Amino acid sequence: MSTVAVKKVRETAILPTYGSAEAAGADLYACLDEPVTIGAGETVFIPTGIAMEVPKGCAGLIYARSSLGTKRGLAPANKVGVIDSDYRGEIGVVLHNHGKIAQTISHGERIAQLVITPVLTPVYEEVSQLSDTSRGTGGFGSTGK
């Protein structure tokens, strides 16, 4: 098991936790002085009150919590947030309300999940030809035919 250094930047912050022994994502919690209401179709920044040291060669990926999306219509506005390994500021989650009614987020509520994953940072080289494959240039929907 590896460890990730996490710093509370707000006294009432809650460190990420896993919902089960084999969960891939750790829950991130809202760190709020008072509840925040997100109107239908609105987008709001929700602070977590934590900063962390994502290991070099990795990224922290912020994903929606399935229950928040299916039950309340809330999901990260940018679909997947990316925390670079050299970022040391507070982590926030920008939630968008896809539903038709306002939703209120309270302090300590689980608002997203965080997955730490290895990343490649290749050098991009321009070439005149790419290798052939059986798929070739077939795009959207081409593999279902």
Side-chain angles (χ1 to χ4, degrees):
M1 177 184 289
S2 58
T3 60
V4 172
V6 180
K7 177 185 176 184
K8 286 186 178 184
V9 296
R10 298 172 192 243
E11 188 177 312
T12 59
I14 301 169
L15 269 56
T17 62
Y18 291 97
S20 70
E22 295 187 35
D27 291 325
L28 294 176
Y29 296 84
C31 186
L32 300 167
D33 295 327
E34 56 188 43
V36 171
T37 298
I38 307 170
E42 287 186 340
T43 302
V44 176
F45 178 87
I46 307 292
T48 65
I50 61 169
M52 66 176 56
E53 291 183 19
V54 173
K56 187 174 182 175
C58 294
L61 302 179
I62 298 175
Y63 293 102
R65 292 192 71 250
S66 58
S67 62
L68 218 56
T70 58
K71 295 178 183 175
R72 297 177 60 193
L74 298 173
N78 54 342
K79 307 305 179 211
V80 177
V82 178
I83 305 167
D84 297 313
S85 64
D86 59 351
Y87 177 67
R88 295 294 184 268
E90 180 177 6
I91 295 167
V93 177
V94 182
L95 285 180
H96 180 77
N97 183 350
H98 295 275
K100 295 181 179 171
I101 61 171
Q103 296 290 331
T104 300
I105 299 294
S106 299
H107 174 76
E109 190 169 341
R110 296 176 297 168
I111 55 170
Q113 58 182 321
L114 172 68
V115 175
I116 305 290
T117 188
V119 295
L120 299 175
T121 52
V123 174
Y124 294 93
E125 175 184 1
E126 183 178 358
V127 297
S128 60
Q129 284 290 112
L130 298 175
S131 63
D132 288 329
T133 67
S134 60
R135 181 176 181 174
T137 59
F140 296 99
S142 66
T143 62
K145 295 181 179 176

